[in-house]
Amino acid sequence: MKKFLALLLCLCMILGLAACGGNNDQKDDSNDGQQTATPPADDKNNDAEPAPEPASADEDTIVIMAPPVTGDYAELLAGWITDFQKDYPHLKVEVINTSWDDHSSKLSTMALAGEAPDIAEVSYGAIGTYVEMGVAVDVKPYLPDGALDDYDQNALDYMTLNNTLYGLPLYLTIQALGGNRQMMEEAGVDVEKVQSGGWTYDEFLTAIEAGTKDETYGFVFANSGVTTADFVSIFGVGAGITANFTDDLKYAYTSENMKNLLAAVETMVSSGWMPNYAVEAGQRLVMLETGNAMITGKAMPLFENNVNKNNAGIATGEAVDGSIEVEYAFLPVPTMDGVTESCFGTVDGMIMLRNNNSTEEHLKNVGLFLNYICSGKPVAETVNQILLSCVCKSGREAQAGADLGQDARNAEASTRCIGIVKAPPTGITSEQAANAKTLMDETIVPKFQALLAGETTAQALYDEVCAKAVELFGADGCEMGFIQ
């Protein structure tokens, strides 16, 4: 009997050790995400909603760089990160806040050093630069299953080069002009007619001449540093240059249309209707709010909110010093003779970038957060402030019923402008895109400042652009005629 009990005890110990070994193996599998325990069929928690599965259970840090997409974007982003971490507590998100003036240069510098953030806000025209650097990431393998079904295809196309998707869109924005409705009417402008049907360059020049008075310019545009590119792009559309390249993929800023555009700038500045100095991005809206400008650019629908907030601050002392009451009017860009009216539209989005610390598991985590901030409630909260519609289904659902407080005439004008946006041609290579950005940053932008100051002529600037473009694209790669 004692022998039997001893044998029974040994057998129990052996079974116990085997069971312990099995638990350790299961724990290891669970840690690397390959296996999870399955509860019995009658488990009381069997009907509970499963928790979201992270790309990796290991702790990780995601870095995002963002300019002030909206006035309070940094605060909004902090709130979204908190919500995101409720589902993914092992993922930390660090934010690099930038200004619009230093965002592009800071991002490029970090990318060249192998220290790019994991996610960065860019306009579609800058994507080619990061592809050429070798740091842009094809996002498709790293997004949650089915994520791309949420987004509008035309918006995804803007984030695509060489048939590769490098990020997700935040919004399709239009950029045009904004003005003081009362001042314009006093200058003889039928504002509602302009908003509903557009206007010619001659009509625009007549208006800003009439609107130029003591201490008030008829027209002011943000054209300091990199914002010069905005002027060339936005007014270029009115001159018939709807993208960096024509439909047959020739560089467009060597066309006769560009020569006409530069001549128009020369006329506005030499006549005193437009400042002969560089205007900072924030300064031009202040000049509208203080009555020192009748029409400003670049302007987006969201600026109506900025002006309304400043109007409200006049009584409380929180407005810009010297502010006057302004009834804001969103305006199309004037159209030159011989071209079809259009509006400059661009997709701004978030791209994924590779850095010295990137791994496959890390990029999966980045893809989770990228999709989170570009869809649903986060993107709806962003786009509502910009007074635009979301470019994804989940965002539009989150927008439903929101009262944006926009003037009906401005809303109709912006809707009309969205309808005449012409998307860039397909087939542009990353090399073409990067070369176009180089020419803009290194030739057009600095030389444009000289044109404003009267230190060069429209013809001389045009000649320099053509010479540099031929170096980059070849004579056959440049459009030298007129684009209709």
PDB file of all heavy atoms in Angstrom, residues 148-178:
ATOM      1  N   LEU A 148      -8.263  51.380 -46.243  1.00  0.00           N
ATOM      2  CA  LEU A 148      -8.315  52.221 -47.438  1.00  0.00           C
ATOM      3  C   LEU A 148      -9.708  52.299 -48.041  1.00  0.00           C
ATOM      4  O   LEU A 148     -10.006  53.232 -48.796  1.00  0.00           O
ATOM      5  CB  LEU A 148      -7.323  51.705 -48.482  1.00  0.00           C
ATOM      6  CG  LEU A 148      -5.843  51.891 -48.139  1.00  0.00           C
ATOM      7  CD1 LEU A 148      -4.966  51.325 -49.232  1.00  0.00           C
ATOM      8  CD2 LEU A 148      -5.524  53.365 -47.914  1.00  0.00           C
ATOM      9  N   ASP A 149     -10.575  51.357 -47.717  1.00  0.00           N
ATOM     10  CA  ASP A 149     -11.948  51.400 -48.240  1.00  0.00           C
ATOM     11  C   ASP A 149     -12.703  52.621 -47.733  1.00  0.00           C
ATOM     12  O   ASP A 149     -13.725  53.004 -48.310  1.00  0.00           O
ATOM     13  CB  ASP A 149     -12.710  50.127 -47.829  1.00  0.00           C
ATOM     14  CG  ASP A 149     -12.122  48.875 -48.455  1.00  0.00           C
ATOM     15  OD1 ASP A 149     -11.436  49.004 -49.486  1.00  0.00           O
ATOM     16  OD2 ASP A 149     -12.339  47.786 -47.910  1.00  0.00           O
ATOM     17  N   ASP A 150     -12.219  53.233 -46.672  1.00  0.00           N
ATOM     18  CA  ASP A 150     -12.890  54.379 -46.056  1.00  0.00           C
ATOM     19  C   ASP A 150     -12.661  55.673 -46.830  1.00  0.00           C
ATOM     20  O   ASP A 150     -13.463  56.596 -46.762  1.00  0.00           O
ATOM     21  CB  ASP A 150     -12.387  54.531 -44.617  1.00  0.00           C
ATOM     22  CG  ASP A 150     -13.126  55.600 -43.815  1.00  0.00           C
ATOM     23  OD1 ASP A 150     -14.338  55.763 -44.042  1.00  0.00           O
ATOM     24  OD2 ASP A 150     -12.490  56.250 -42.971  1.00  0.00           O
ATOM     25  N   TYR A 151     -11.564  55.748 -47.594  1.00  0.00           N
ATOM     26  CA  TYR A 151     -11.128  57.021 -48.178  1.00  0.00           C
ATOM     27  C   TYR A 151     -11.586  57.183 -49.630  1.00  0.00           C
ATOM     28  O   TYR A 151     -11.667  56.210 -50.379  1.00  0.00           O
ATOM     29  CB  TYR A 151      -9.600  57.129 -48.106  1.00  0.00           C
ATOM     30  CG  TYR A 151      -9.076  57.166 -46.692  1.00  0.00           C
ATOM     31  CD1 TYR A 151      -8.793  55.982 -46.005  1.00  0.00           C
ATOM     32  CD2 TYR A 151      -8.889  58.367 -46.027  1.00  0.00           C
ATOM     33  CE1 TYR A 151      -8.330  55.999 -44.698  1.00  0.00           C
ATOM     34  CE2 TYR A 151      -8.425  58.402 -44.718  1.00  0.00           C
ATOM     35  CZ  TYR A 151      -8.149  57.219 -44.061  1.00  0.00           C
ATOM     36  OH  TYR A 151      -7.704  57.243 -42.769  1.00  0.00           O
ATOM     37  N   ASP A 152     -11.877  58.432 -50.009  1.00  0.00           N
ATOM     38  CA  ASP A 152     -12.239  58.740 -51.392  1.00  0.00           C
ATOM     39  C   ASP A 152     -11.023  58.517 -52.292  1.00  0.00           C
ATOM     40  O   ASP A 152      -9.910  58.969 -51.977  1.00  0.00           O
ATOM     41  CB  ASP A 152     -12.690  60.196 -51.517  1.00  0.00           C
ATOM     42  CG  ASP A 152     -13.961  60.480 -50.724  1.00  0.00           C
ATOM     43  OD1 ASP A 152     -14.588  59.511 -50.243  1.00  0.00           O
ATOM     44  OD2 ASP A 152     -14.322  61.667 -50.600  1.00  0.00           O
ATOM     45  N   GLN A 153     -11.247  57.862 -53.424  1.00  0.00           N
ATOM     46  CA  GLN A 153     -10.133  57.507 -54.293  1.00  0.00           C
ATOM     47  C   GLN A 153      -9.425  58.734 -54.862  1.00  0.00           C
ATOM     48  O   GLN A 153      -8.195  58.749 -54.980  1.00  0.00           O
ATOM     49  CB  GLN A 153     -10.620  56.616 -55.441  1.00  0.00           C
ATOM     50  CG  GLN A 153      -9.494  56.064 -56.305  1.00  0.00           C
ATOM     51  CD  GLN A 153      -8.486  55.250 -55.518  1.00  0.00           C
ATOM     52  OE1 GLN A 153      -8.857  54.355 -54.770  1.00  0.00           O
ATOM     53  NE2 GLN A 153      -7.198  55.549 -55.678  1.00  0.00           N
ATOM     54  N   ASN A 154     -10.186  59.793 -55.208  1.00  0.00           N
ATOM     55  CA  ASN A 154      -9.521  60.964 -55.787  1.00  0.00           C
ATOM     56  C   ASN A 154      -8.567  61.609 -54.793  1.00  0.00           C
ATOM     57  O   ASN A 154      -7.516  62.139 -55.167  1.00  0.00           O
ATOM     58  CB  ASN A 154     -10.551  61.978 -56.292  1.00  0.00           C
ATOM     59  CG  ASN A 154     -11.360  62.606 -55.174  1.00  0.00           C
ATOM     60  OD1 ASN A 154     -11.629  61.970 -54.160  1.00  0.00           O
ATOM     61  ND2 ASN A 154     -11.778  63.853 -55.350  1.00  0.00           N
ATOM     62  N   ALA A 155      -8.914  61.557 -53.502  1.00  0.00           N
ATOM     63  CA  ALA A 155      -8.013  62.107 -52.482  1.00  0.00           C
ATOM     64  C   ALA A 155      -6.785  61.218 -52.308  1.00  0.00           C
ATOM     65  O   ALA A 155      -5.665  61.713 -52.126  1.00  0.00           O
ATOM     66  CB  ALA A 155      -8.752  62.255 -51.159  1.00  0.00           C
ATOM     67  N   LEU A 156      -6.979  59.897 -52.372  1.00  0.00           N
ATOM     68  CA  LEU A 156      -5.842  58.981 -52.293  1.00  0.00           C
ATOM     69  C   LEU A 156      -4.896  59.176 -53.479  1.00  0.00           C
ATOM     70  O   LEU A 156      -3.676  59.039 -53.338  1.00  0.00           O
ATOM     71  CB  LEU A 156      -6.323  57.529 -52.252  1.00  0.00           C
ATOM     72  CG  LEU A 156      -7.046  57.077 -50.979  1.00  0.00           C
ATOM     73  CD1 LEU A 156      -7.580  55.656 -51.153  1.00  0.00           C
ATOM     74  CD2 LEU A 156      -6.125  57.144 -49.767  1.00  0.00           C
ATOM     75  N   ASP A 157      -5.463  59.521 -54.643  1.00  0.00           N
ATOM     76  CA  ASP A 157      -4.630  59.719 -55.832  1.00  0.00           C
ATOM     77  C   ASP A 157      -3.628  60.847 -55.631  1.00  0.00           C
ATOM     78  O   ASP A 157      -2.506  60.803 -56.154  1.00  0.00           O
ATOM     79  CB  ASP A 157      -5.509  60.026 -57.044  1.00  0.00           C
ATOM     80  CG  ASP A 157      -6.289  58.803 -57.521  1.00  0.00           C
ATOM     81  OD1 ASP A 157      -5.932  57.677 -57.129  1.00  0.00           O
ATOM     82  OD2 ASP A 157      -7.268  58.991 -58.278  1.00  0.00           O
ATOM     83  N   TYR A 158      -4.037  61.881 -54.872  1.00  0.00           N
ATOM     84  CA  TYR A 158      -3.120  62.982 -54.600  1.00  0.00           C
ATOM     85  C   TYR A 158      -1.927  62.534 -53.755  1.00  0.00           C
ATOM     86  O   TYR A 158      -0.858  63.144 -53.808  1.00  0.00           O
ATOM     87  CB  TYR A 158      -3.849  64.111 -53.859  1.00  0.00           C
ATOM     88  CG  TYR A 158      -4.552  65.113 -54.731  1.00  0.00           C
ATOM     89  CD1 TYR A 158      -5.860  64.926 -55.143  1.00  0.00           C
ATOM     90  CD2 TYR A 158      -3.905  66.282 -55.133  1.00  0.00           C
ATOM     91  CE1 TYR A 158      -6.519  65.872 -55.925  1.00  0.00           C
ATOM     92  CE2 TYR A 158      -4.553  67.235 -55.903  1.00  0.00           C
ATOM     93  CZ  TYR A 158      -5.859  67.015 -56.305  1.00  0.00           C
ATOM     94  OH  TYR A 158      -6.495  67.956 -57.074  1.00  0.00           O
ATOM     95  N   MET A 159      -2.125  61.513 -52.949  1.00  0.00           N
ATOM     96  CA  MET A 159      -1.053  61.021 -52.071  1.00  0.00           C
ATOM     97  C   MET A 159      -0.223  59.927 -52.728  1.00  0.00           C
ATOM     98  O   MET A 159       0.566  59.252 -52.077  1.00  0.00           O
ATOM     99  CB  MET A 159      -1.658  60.483 -50.767  1.00  0.00           C
ATOM    100  CG  MET A 159      -2.549  61.449 -50.011  1.00  0.00           C
ATOM    101  SD  MET A 159      -1.695  62.956 -49.480  1.00  0.00           S
ATOM    102  CE  MET A 159      -0.505  62.302 -48.302  1.00  0.00           C
ATOM    103  N   THR A 160      -0.404  59.763 -54.042  1.00  0.00           N
ATOM    104  CA  THR A 160       0.213  58.666 -54.778  1.00  0.00           C
ATOM    105  C   THR A 160       1.200  59.181 -55.810  1.00  0.00           C
ATOM    106  O   THR A 160       0.918  60.134 -56.537  1.00  0.00           O
ATOM    107  CB  THR A 160      -0.874  57.824 -55.477  1.00  0.00           C
ATOM    108  OG1 THR A 160      -1.799  57.334 -54.502  1.00  0.00           O
ATOM    109  CG2 THR A 160      -0.270  56.651 -56.225  1.00  0.00           C
ATOM    110  N   LEU A 161       2.357  58.539 -55.885  1.00  0.00           N
ATOM    111  CA  LEU A 161       3.337  58.768 -56.945  1.00  0.00           C
ATOM    112  C   LEU A 161       3.819  57.417 -57.443  1.00  0.00           C
ATOM    113  O   LEU A 161       4.026  56.491 -56.643  1.00  0.00           O
ATOM    114  CB  LEU A 161       4.532  59.581 -56.448  1.00  0.00           C
ATOM    115  CG  LEU A 161       4.409  61.107 -56.379  1.00  0.00           C
ATOM    116  CD1 LEU A 161       5.700  61.691 -55.825  1.00  0.00           C
ATOM    117  CD2 LEU A 161       4.124  61.699 -57.753  1.00  0.00           C
ATOM    118  N   ASN A 162       4.007  57.312 -58.752  1.00  0.00           N
ATOM    119  CA  ASN A 162       4.471  56.047 -59.328  1.00  0.00           C
ATOM    120  C   ASN A 162       3.620  54.870 -58.868  1.00  0.00           C
ATOM    121  O   ASN A 162       4.132  53.780 -58.587  1.00  0.00           O
ATOM    122  CB  ASN A 162       5.942  55.782 -58.957  1.00  0.00           C
ATOM    123  CG  ASN A 162       6.868  56.861 -59.470  1.00  0.00           C
ATOM    124  OD1 ASN A 162       6.550  57.571 -60.418  1.00  0.00           O
ATOM    125  ND2 ASN A 162       8.027  56.997 -58.835  1.00  0.00           N
ATOM    126  N   ASN A 163       2.309  55.103 -58.753  1.00  0.00           N
ATOM    127  CA  ASN A 163       1.359  54.064 -58.329  1.00  0.00           C
ATOM    128  C   ASN A 163       1.616  53.545 -56.920  1.00  0.00           C
ATOM    129  O   ASN A 163       1.205  52.434 -56.572  1.00  0.00           O
ATOM    130  CB  ASN A 163       1.371  52.888 -59.315  1.00  0.00           C
ATOM    131  CG  ASN A 163       0.930  53.300 -60.709  1.00  0.00           C
ATOM    132  OD1 ASN A 163      -0.056  54.023 -60.853  1.00  0.00           O
ATOM    133  ND2 ASN A 163       1.670  52.875 -61.719  1.00  0.00           N
ATOM    134  N   THR A 164       2.304  54.333 -56.115  1.00  0.00           N
ATOM    135  CA  THR A 164       2.585  53.952 -54.732  1.00  0.00           C
ATOM    136  C   THR A 164       1.957  54.983 -53.796  1.00  0.00           C
ATOM    137  O   THR A 164       2.150  56.189 -53.971  1.00  0.00           O
ATOM    138  CB  THR A 164       4.099  53.880 -54.474  1.00  0.00           C
ATOM    139  OG1 THR A 164       4.680  52.938 -55.389  1.00  0.00           O
ATOM    140  CG2 THR A 164       4.388  53.422 -53.048  1.00  0.00           C
ATOM    141  N   LEU A 165       1.227  54.502 -52.788  1.00  0.00           N
ATOM    142  CA  LEU A 165       0.559  55.380 -51.828  1.00  0.00           C
ATOM    143  C   LEU A 165       1.500  55.663 -50.659  1.00  0.00           C
ATOM    144  O   LEU A 165       1.920  54.750 -49.951  1.00  0.00           O
ATOM    145  CB  LEU A 165      -0.727  54.707 -51.325  1.00  0.00           C
ATOM    146  CG  LEU A 165      -1.587  55.509 -50.344  1.00  0.00           C
ATOM    147  CD1 LEU A 165      -2.169  56.741 -51.029  1.00  0.00           C
ATOM    148  CD2 LEU A 165      -2.700  54.633 -49.785  1.00  0.00           C
ATOM    149  N   TYR A 166       1.807  56.940 -50.442  1.00  0.00           N
ATOM    150  CA  TYR A 166       2.793  57.307 -49.427  1.00  0.00           C
ATOM    151  C   TYR A 166       2.179  57.931 -48.173  1.00  0.00           C
ATOM    152  O   TYR A 166       2.914  58.306 -47.260  1.00  0.00           O
ATOM    153  CB  TYR A 166       3.818  58.274 -50.024  1.00  0.00           C
ATOM    154  CG  TYR A 166       4.731  57.598 -51.018  1.00  0.00           C
ATOM    155  CD1 TYR A 166       4.559  57.789 -52.386  1.00  0.00           C
ATOM    156  CD2 TYR A 166       5.740  56.741 -50.596  1.00  0.00           C
ATOM    157  CE1 TYR A 166       5.387  57.150 -53.307  1.00  0.00           C
ATOM    158  CE2 TYR A 166       6.570  56.102 -51.500  1.00  0.00           C
ATOM    159  CZ  TYR A 166       6.390  56.312 -52.857  1.00  0.00           C
ATOM    160  OH  TYR A 166       7.204  55.671 -53.757  1.00  0.00           O
ATOM    161  N   GLY A 167       0.880  58.042 -48.111  1.00  0.00           N
ATOM    162  CA  GLY A 167       0.259  58.614 -46.927  1.00  0.00           C
ATOM    163  C   GLY A 167      -1.247  58.595 -47.051  1.00  0.00           C
ATOM    164  O   GLY A 167      -1.807  58.008 -47.992  1.00  0.00           O
ATOM    165  N   LEU A 168      -1.917  59.255 -46.126  1.00  0.00           N
ATOM    166  CA  LEU A 168      -3.372  59.348 -46.132  1.00  0.00           C
ATOM    167  C   LEU A 168      -3.787  60.819 -46.163  1.00  0.00           C
ATOM    168  O   LEU A 168      -3.139  61.668 -45.544  1.00  0.00           O
ATOM    169  CB  LEU A 168      -3.958  58.669 -44.893  1.00  0.00           C
ATOM    170  CG  LEU A 168      -3.777  57.160 -44.813  1.00  0.00           C
ATOM    171  CD1 LEU A 168      -4.344  56.630 -43.497  1.00  0.00           C
ATOM    172  CD2 LEU A 168      -4.433  56.454 -46.002  1.00  0.00           C
ATOM    173  N   PRO A 169      -4.875  61.141 -46.876  1.00  0.00           N
ATOM    174  CA  PRO A 169      -5.308  62.537 -46.987  1.00  0.00           C
ATOM    175  C   PRO A 169      -6.017  63.022 -45.729  1.00  0.00           C
ATOM    176  O   PRO A 169      -6.738  62.263 -45.078  1.00  0.00           O
ATOM    177  CB  PRO A 169      -6.276  62.488 -48.172  1.00  0.00           C
ATOM    178  CG  PRO A 169      -6.844  61.097 -48.125  1.00  0.00           C
ATOM    179  CD  PRO A 169      -5.719  60.217 -47.640  1.00  0.00           C
ATOM    180  N   LEU A 170      -5.801  64.285 -45.403  1.00  0.00           N
ATOM    181  CA  LEU A 170      -6.583  64.936 -44.357  1.00  0.00           C
ATOM    182  C   LEU A 170      -7.772  65.674 -44.957  1.00  0.00           C
ATOM    183  O   LEU A 170      -8.892  65.575 -44.468  1.00  0.00           O
ATOM    184  CB  LEU A 170      -5.718  65.935 -43.586  1.00  0.00           C
ATOM    185  CG  LEU A 170      -4.707  65.384 -42.583  1.00  0.00           C
ATOM    186  CD1 LEU A 170      -3.845  66.520 -42.037  1.00  0.00           C
ATOM    187  CD2 LEU A 170      -5.398  64.646 -41.454  1.00  0.00           C
ATOM    188  N   TYR A 171      -7.528  66.403 -46.029  1.00  0.00           N
ATOM    189  CA  TYR A 171      -8.602  67.174 -46.648  1.00  0.00           C
ATOM    190  C   TYR A 171      -8.183  67.638 -48.038  1.00  0.00           C
ATOM    191  O   TYR A 171      -6.993  67.739 -48.352  1.00  0.00           O
ATOM    192  CB  TYR A 171      -8.981  68.392 -45.805  1.00  0.00           C
ATOM    193  CG  TYR A 171      -7.808  69.243 -45.381  1.00  0.00           C
ATOM    194  CD1 TYR A 171      -7.215  70.158 -46.249  1.00  0.00           C
ATOM    195  CD2 TYR A 171      -7.274  69.135 -44.097  1.00  0.00           C
ATOM    196  CE1 TYR A 171      -6.141  70.927 -45.869  1.00  0.00           C
ATOM    197  CE2 TYR A 171      -6.186  69.904 -43.696  1.00  0.00           C
ATOM    198  CZ  TYR A 171      -5.631  70.803 -44.585  1.00  0.00           C
ATOM    199  OH  TYR A 171      -4.552  71.559 -44.196  1.00  0.00           O
ATOM    200  N   LEU A 172      -9.179  67.877 -48.867  1.00  0.00           N
ATOM    201  CA  LEU A 172      -8.987  68.545 -50.147  1.00  0.00           C
ATOM    202  C   LEU A 172      -9.363  70.001 -49.921  1.00  0.00           C
ATOM    203  O   LEU A 172     -10.524  70.322 -49.655  1.00  0.00           O
ATOM    204  CB  LEU A 172      -9.874  67.933 -51.231  1.00  0.00           C
ATOM    205  CG  LEU A 172      -9.944  68.674 -52.576  1.00  0.00           C
ATOM    206  CD1 LEU A 172      -8.577  68.765 -53.232  1.00  0.00           C
ATOM    207  CD2 LEU A 172     -10.931  67.995 -53.517  1.00  0.00           C
ATOM    208  N   THR A 173      -8.372  70.871 -49.979  1.00  0.00           N
ATOM    209  CA  THR A 173      -8.626  72.274 -49.689  1.00  0.00           C
ATOM    210  C   THR A 173      -8.527  73.119 -50.948  1.00  0.00           C
ATOM    211  O   THR A 173      -7.803  72.772 -51.887  1.00  0.00           O
ATOM    212  CB  THR A 173      -7.636  72.813 -48.642  1.00  0.00           C
ATOM    213  OG1 THR A 173      -7.976  74.158 -48.323  1.00  0.00           O
ATOM    214  CG2 THR A 173      -6.205  72.783 -49.158  1.00  0.00           C
ATOM    215  N   ILE A 174      -9.268  74.199 -50.955  1.00  0.00           N
ATOM    216  CA  ILE A 174      -9.168  75.172 -52.030  1.00  0.00           C
ATOM    217  C   ILE A 174      -8.521  76.426 -51.469  1.00  0.00           C
ATOM    218  O   ILE A 174      -8.735  76.788 -50.317  1.00  0.00           O
ATOM    219  CB  ILE A 174     -10.551  75.496 -52.630  1.00  0.00           C
ATOM    220  CG1 ILE A 174     -11.567  75.799 -51.527  1.00  0.00           C
ATOM    221  CG2 ILE A 174     -11.020  74.367 -53.519  1.00  0.00           C
ATOM    222  CD1 ILE A 174     -12.892  76.283 -52.043  1.00  0.00           C
ATOM    223  N   GLN A 175      -7.715  77.062 -52.292  1.00  0.00           N
ATOM    224  CA  GLN A 175      -7.003  78.261 -51.867  1.00  0.00           C
ATOM    225  C   GLN A 175      -7.235  79.342 -52.903  1.00  0.00           C
ATOM    226  O   GLN A 175      -6.975  79.149 -54.093  1.00  0.00           O
ATOM    227  CB  GLN A 175      -5.514  77.952 -51.703  1.00  0.00           C
ATOM    228  CG  GLN A 175      -5.258  76.884 -50.644  1.00  0.00           C
ATOM    229  CD  GLN A 175      -3.811  76.464 -50.560  1.00  0.00           C
ATOM    230  OE1 GLN A 175      -2.979  76.941 -51.305  1.00  0.00           O
ATOM    231  NE2 GLN A 175      -3.513  75.549 -49.652  1.00  0.00           N
ATOM    232  N   ALA A 176      -7.774  80.460 -52.444  1.00  0.00           N
ATOM    233  CA  ALA A 176      -8.131  81.529 -53.367  1.00  0.00           C
ATOM    234  C   ALA A 176      -7.904  82.876 -52.696  1.00  0.00           C
ATOM    235  O   ALA A 176      -6.823  83.121 -52.161  1.00  0.00           O
ATOM    236  CB  ALA A 176      -9.586  81.348 -53.814  1.00  0.00           C
ATOM    237  N   LEU A 177      -8.940  83.733 -52.676  1.00  0.00           N
ATOM    238  CA  LEU A 177      -8.822  85.069 -52.110  1.00  0.00           C
ATOM    239  C   LEU A 177      -9.928  85.326 -51.097  1.00  0.00           C
ATOM    240  O   LEU A 177     -10.961  84.650 -51.093  1.00  0.00           O
ATOM    241  CB  LEU A 177      -8.910  86.126 -53.224  1.00  0.00           C
ATOM    242  CG  LEU A 177      -7.938  85.996 -54.390  1.00  0.00           C
ATOM    243  CD1 LEU A 177      -8.189  87.117 -55.395  1.00  0.00           C
ATOM    244  CD2 LEU A 177      -6.496  86.003 -53.920  1.00  0.00           C
ATOM    245  N   GLY A 178      -9.704  86.322 -50.241  1.00  0.00           N
ATOM    246  CA  GLY A 178     -10.729  86.750 -49.293  1.00  0.00           C
ATOM    247  C   GLY A 178     -10.728  88.264 -49.237  1.00  0.00           C
ATOM    248  O   GLY A 178      -9.703  88.906 -49.497  1.00  0.00           O
TER     249      GLY A 178
END
